[in-house]
Amino acid sequence: MEEASPASKFAYTFIVLFVVWLFFTASLDPQELAMGAIMSLVVAALTYDVFTKAGLRNLHPKRVAYAIAYIPYFLWAMIMANLDVAYRVLHPARPIRPGIVKCKTVLNSDTGKLALANSITLTPGTITLDVDGDEYFIHWIWVPDEVLRAKEESEHVEHASEAITKPFEKFLRVIFE
Amino acid sequence: MSVLAAIGEILVLIGTFFYFLSALGLIRMPDVYNRMQTSTKSATLGSLGVIVGTGIWAVGKGHSLAWIVQTIAVAGFLLLTNPISAHALIRAAYKRGIPLWHGSVVDKYAEHLAGKTEANKTSEEETPEAEGVSA
């Protein structure tokens, strides 16, 4: 994925900043809008180079649609995660079997990896410990049997990725690649 | 309008329940890694519930619609930043050498780090030799 032109990056940064401004002021008064536009232009001019690499390509309709579809999917995963936590905390026997496992991802972009790491942290029983290249090191509160019994490294990685990263990748690959 | 207020109150109640679970998890879990697991997830959803619930409740009580827009913005920022702080904390804990719980079953990260330092060592040992050959 080659980098977008500075104009495209600047436009994308400005749009994101302006939408954030709209949310924060929560008003459509022309004065507020003008001030928000000016401030967004200034901040976008200062920061567009570090803010994004893909520029306006991020606003491709298919990506936006997948991003919107991802929100309820992610919230559902989060609610399941919290029920999981509730079960482990309230259960008298405290059913935990923690360990650090290794996963591989197919995502290439840094933003995609960040989104995947965040998603992993907020979903049932997993928290991202470190990311190195395409390898994720994940602290899992209940390492399942098939991962635990895997003799070979590749088998271990395959089972762990199946359970942890695969469910999100099908969304994140479209949104960020 | 009171329906909205009731929804907001229920959301705040659910949020505080998850806050409670998060605090309980801090007490019950055996080591820093499992504590981060329980506290991060519950505290994030608990905050979302309380914050968005407050916004909905305020709108139901007749305050301006800006309440819900702004609370959703705050909740979005919280959702994006909370896991990063958790990741930074747990990684710093590991780098500082805090041991895993004795009941932990597998540690692939230690193997990875050991492999890395070994690779560094061999490359350091090889460099002078290579220079010697070229000289």
Side-chain angles (χ1 to χ4, degrees):
Chain A
M1 190 172 71
E2 80 278 15
E3 238 177 273
S5 70
S8 155
K9 286 201 274 187
F10 177 77
Y12 175 67
T13 314
F14 170 73
I15 291 169
V16 171
L17 286 170
F18 194 62
V19 169
V20 171
W21 173 272
L22 284 182
F23 265 91
F24 273 166
T25 55
S27 117
L28 291 174
D29 190 333
Q31 275 187 348
E32 300 251 21
L33 291 186
M35 197 61 210
I38 292 167
M39 293 317 284
S40 303
L41 279 175
V42 171
V43 176
L46 292 175
T47 61
Y48 73 91
D49 206 33
V50 288
F51 183 68
T52 174
K53 279 204 165 60
L56 283 175
R57 260 180 305 172
N58 281 331
L59 295 177
H60 191 282
K62 195 178 166 199
R63 290 185 175 191
V64 175
Y66 265 75
I68 291 170
Y70 185 61
I71 292 171
Y73 181 81
F74 174 71
L75 284 179
W76 175 247
M78 240 182 101
I79 291 166
M80 293 313 288
N82 280 278
L83 295 179
D84 180 75
V85 166
Y87 165 70
R88 292 195 195 292
V89 170
L90 296 176
H91 195 286
R94 197 179 61 187
I96 60 173
R97 188 166 74 188
I100 297 171
V101 300
K102 184 167 147 186
C103 286
K104 271 198 165 37
T105 177
V106 296
L107 298 173
N108 287 317
S109 72
D110 288 344
T111 330
K113 282 179 189 167
L114 172 69
L116 181 58
N118 273 1
S119 306
I120 288 169
T121 300
L122 290 174
T123 49
T126 51
I127 187 164
T128 313
L129 196 89
D130 201 358
V131 183
D132 190 3
D134 65 343
E135 289 171 342
Y136 279 70
F137 295 91
I138 290 159
H139 187 269
W140 208 345
I141 202 166
W142 180 263
V143 180
D145 289 338
E146 71 265 22
V147 177
L148 192 59
R149 277 200 237 97
K151 292 278 177 293
E152 310 242 328
E153 177 90 3
S154 58
E155 197 185 345
H156 167 93
V157 170
E158 191 182 310
H159 282 304
S161 306
E162 194 75 40
I164 296 176
T165 61
K166 281 273 162 58
F168 297 113
E169 274 176 352
K170 59 178 185 260
F171 286 94
L172 293 176
R173 207 162 47 196
V174 181
I175 299 173
F176 290 107
E177 299 287 297
Chain B
M1 277 318 214
S2 63
V3 179
L4 277 182
I7 292 174
E9 278 165 14
I10 290 168
L11 274 179
V12 172
L13 201 65
I14 293 172
T16 44
F17 173 67
F18 282 124
Y19 273 146
F20 169 71
L21 281 184
S22 159
L24 197 63
L26 278 181
I27 299 168
R28 289 210 65 194
M29 289 297 148
D31 69 352
V32 64
Y33 306 99
N34 293 307
R35 282 180 187 154
M36 288 305 299
Q37 290 259 16
T38 54
S39 60
T40 310
K41 291 183 231 298
S42 307
T44 309
L45 192 72
S47 308
L48 286 195
V50 170
I51 293 171
V52 176
T54 311
I56 294 174
W57 175 82
V59 171
K61 284 286 175 186
H63 294 72
S64 81
L65 208 64
W67 270 87
I68 192 158
V69 179
Q70 284 172 339
T71 49
I72 285 176
V74 171
F77 274 88
L78 202 79
L79 191 63
L80 289 176
T81 52
N82 227 350
I84 298 176
S85 66
H87 162 73
L89 274 173
I90 195 171
R91 187 167 181 273
Y94 198 97
K95 296 270 174 188
R96 197 72 183 79
I98 294 173
L100 291 170
W101 183 47
H102 58 82
S104 303
V105 286
V106 57
D107 187 354
K108 288 281 170 191
Y109 192 45
E111 292 169 23
H112 174 74
L113 287 181
K116 247 189 167 177
T117 47
E118 224 164 75
N120 278 343
K121 257 186 211 159
T122 49
S123 70
E124 272 167 23
E125 281 164 11
E126 273 165 16
T127 346
E129 271 174 39
E131 277 170 9
V133 169
S134 67

